[in-house]
Amino acid sequence: MQLVVEEVRCWLVDIPTIRPHKLSMATMGSQTLMIVQLRCQNGIQGWGEGTTIGGLSYGPESPEAMRITVERYVAPLLIGQPLSGVAALAEKLAVLRGNNFAKSAVETAFLDAYGKLVGLPVAALLGGARHQTLPALWTLASGNTDKDIDEARALLESGRHHAFKLKIGAGDLHSDVAHAIRIKQALGDAIHVHVDVNQGWTMAQALAAIPRLQAAGITLIEQPTALEDIDQLVDLAKRFAVTLLADEAVTDAKQGLALIRQGFSGAFALKIAKAGGPFQALKLAHVAEAAGISLYGGTMLEGTIGTVAALHAWSTLDLEWGTEMFGPLLLKDDVVVHPLTYQQGHLSLPSGNGLGIEIDEDKLMHYARTA
Ligand code: MUC
Ligand code: MG
């Protein structure tokens, strides 16, 4: 069946976070969602979302640039062109270099619309859901150890999360390591705690810190060194028993293959934004599976639209390290009618065709930038 896109619209939506979210490269007080709407034949609408972290702090695409890319370069490639599915869309988008975050928003919107056209959920277009719920951890990043411990205890007590990731790499090495160890000790052996350094360390710092974190029972060490320094990541993964998780260093299937060829033996953080959409992220997942690399479902701190898009993709996989699809919970509000369900450490895949979510257009207009 073919889908014809008639119009492409974008909005930039700024939503405050529930508390400052402190990462090695930025502290977030709000998140910008670049929302894409594809208006298609028969009144079908597809929705997608592109996010990043801290403007240009995380990667080379800002939310503003994503919007221009979609409006000026993607829209003319799609409008009026019948597309037979997500592979046909990928072929069209392949003439545009890079800009995977913007492409991810477009691929998501296309999958939502195509699912509505054929009467199937997005997961079914991507291979079929093997899981209706997925584990979802919470990230502690208030910038204060005691606050993080209180936050984790409250979440454990409510049952919403059973596992945590810590953001480190902004402070000095010893305080960062002490911070992680204190939290791990406060939460106990049974609770998974992993650290994300977001490229904050040199190799020497990583060599000093990782043995201490490993001895304290930290379960994963995410992207300790600069993304370009693949040899360091490969080396660290070989040296330590604790699993090294590649995030910024692994975007799409080609980069995954390059890391595997260099002998990387850790795990990969999948993100729809890094790969250029849910379908593209699964290509990386399948390369990793073939090489025996374990997987983790990552977020670019998306709101509900992007989170659900990723969830449809992750539901087709077996993710040894679970997911961090908590993005909507970090935001004070969103642009959907029904929030997602998080309970017992898990997030449920919504039912319905396409993404299975309903957009609250009043809220979208309320939060959308006017200039
Ligand atoms: C990242 O680098 O992993 C994921 C969770 C979070 O708090 O930040 C993101 C980005
Ligand atoms: Mg990360």
Side-chain angles (χ1 to χ4, degrees):
M1 234 187 266
Q2 300 209 314
L3 180 74
V4 182
V5 176
E6 290 172 345
E7 195 186 353
V8 179
R9 299 172 73 191
C10 295
W11 296 266
L12 289 171
V13 165
D14 297 300
I15 302 198
T17 56
I18 55 168
R19 58 147 168 74
H21 197 63
K22 190 167 189 275
L23 300 91
S24 77
M25 68 296 189
T27 299
M28 299 167 66
S30 68
Q31 177 60 309
T32 305
L33 317 177
M34 196 282 297
I35 308 283
V36 177
Q37 183 200 45
L38 300 184
R39 295 172 86 93
C40 307
Q41 84 221 78
N42 313 329
I44 292 174
Q45 294 182 6
W47 295 89
E49 183 195 283
T51 54
T52 186
I53 293 173
L56 284 172
S57 309
Y58 187 95
E61 285 175 80
S62 66
E64 295 78 10
M66 288 181 222
R67 178 182 185 164
I68 297 254
T69 301
V70 175
E71 288 177 343
R72 192 153 305 170
Y73 298 99
V74 174
L77 292 177
L78 303 190
I79 292 171
Q81 304 292 321
L83 291 167
S84 59
V86 68
L89 172 79
E91 196 183 343
K92 283 261 179 258
L93 298 185
V95 301
L96 305 178
R97 292 188 190 272
N99 290 284
N100 282 1
F101 287 30
K103 286 177 180 171
S104 175
V106 172
E107 194 186 83
T108 296
F110 180 84
L111 283 163
D112 186 32
Y114 200 82
K116 288 169 180 164
L117 176 74
V118 299
L120 288 171
V122 166
L125 307 177
L126 297 173
R130 293 158 70 191
H131 312 280
Q132 290 306 316
T133 66
L134 278 100
L137 59 63
W138 173 253
T139 294
L140 301 167
S142 73
N144 176 285
T145 313
D146 292 320
K147 274 195 192 158
D148 282 358
I149 292 172
D150 290 347
E151 196 173 292
R153 285 192 172 136
L155 290 167
L156 285 169
E157 212 169 287
S158 72
R160 202 182 74 184
H161 298 281
H162 299 157
F164 301 92
K165 154 160 153 173
L166 315 180
K167 285 296 195 178
I168 59 173
D172 77 272
L173 189 75
H174 294 291
S175 351
D176 268 357
V177 170
H179 165 81
I181 293 176
R182 259 195 68 210
I183 293 176
K184 174 65 191 160
Q185 282 171 351
L187 302 184
D189 286 348
I191 303 300
H192 163 103
V193 175
H194 98 241
V195 297
D196 187 357
V197 192
N198 282 115
Q199 316 181 62
W201 291 340
T202 62
M203 185 66 173
Q205 288 175 317
L207 288 171
I210 295 173
R212 294 178 58 200
L213 295 169
Q214 178 175 291
I218 298 292
T219 337
L220 273 178
I221 312 284
E222 182 171 344
Q223 197 66 51
T225 49
L227 76 95
E228 304 82 8
D229 297 329
I230 300 292
D231 48 338
Q232 297 183 350
L233 206 60
V234 171
D235 189 6
L236 291 169
K238 283 191 181 138
R239 279 174 193 259
F240 297 105
V242 63
T243 301
L244 267 286
L245 178 63
D247 183 8
E248 287 90 324
V250 64
T251 58
D252 58 8
K254 258 193 192 305
Q255 267 193 357
L257 186 59
L259 261 169
I260 292 163
R261 282 191 172 138
Q262 288 201 43
F264 181 67
S265 55
F268 286 170
L270 304 169
K271 287 184 182 170
I272 60 168
K274 291 190 298 180
F279 180 59
Q280 303 302 326
L282 286 178
K283 291 184 185 169
L284 168 62
H286 299 150
V287 167
E289 278 174 347
I293 294 278
S294 54
L295 296 171
Y296 174 71
T299 178
M300 200 50 71
L301 299 178
E302 292 100 353
T304 299
I305 302 173
T307 298
V308 167
L311 204 64
H312 278 279
W314 308 163
S315 75
T316 69
L317 301 169
D318 259 330
L319 299 172
E320 181 169 335
W321 297 103
T323 85
E324 58 181 16
M325 306 314 299
F326 68 88
L329 300 172
L330 188 65
L331 305 182
K332 279 197 175 147
D333 205 352
D334 211 323
V335 296
V336 292
V337 176
H338 303 291
L340 297 174
T341 310
Y342 289 84
Q343 56 194 14
Q344 298 312 320
H346 285 70
L347 167 59
S348 305
L349 191 64
S351 54
N353 297 331
L355 292 172
I357 55 177
E358 200 184 326
I359 302 301
D360 184 329
E361 297 202 30
D362 292 338
K363 276 197 181 169
L364 175 62
M365 293 313 148
H366 171 75
Y367 287 110
R369 283 187 207 171
T370 49

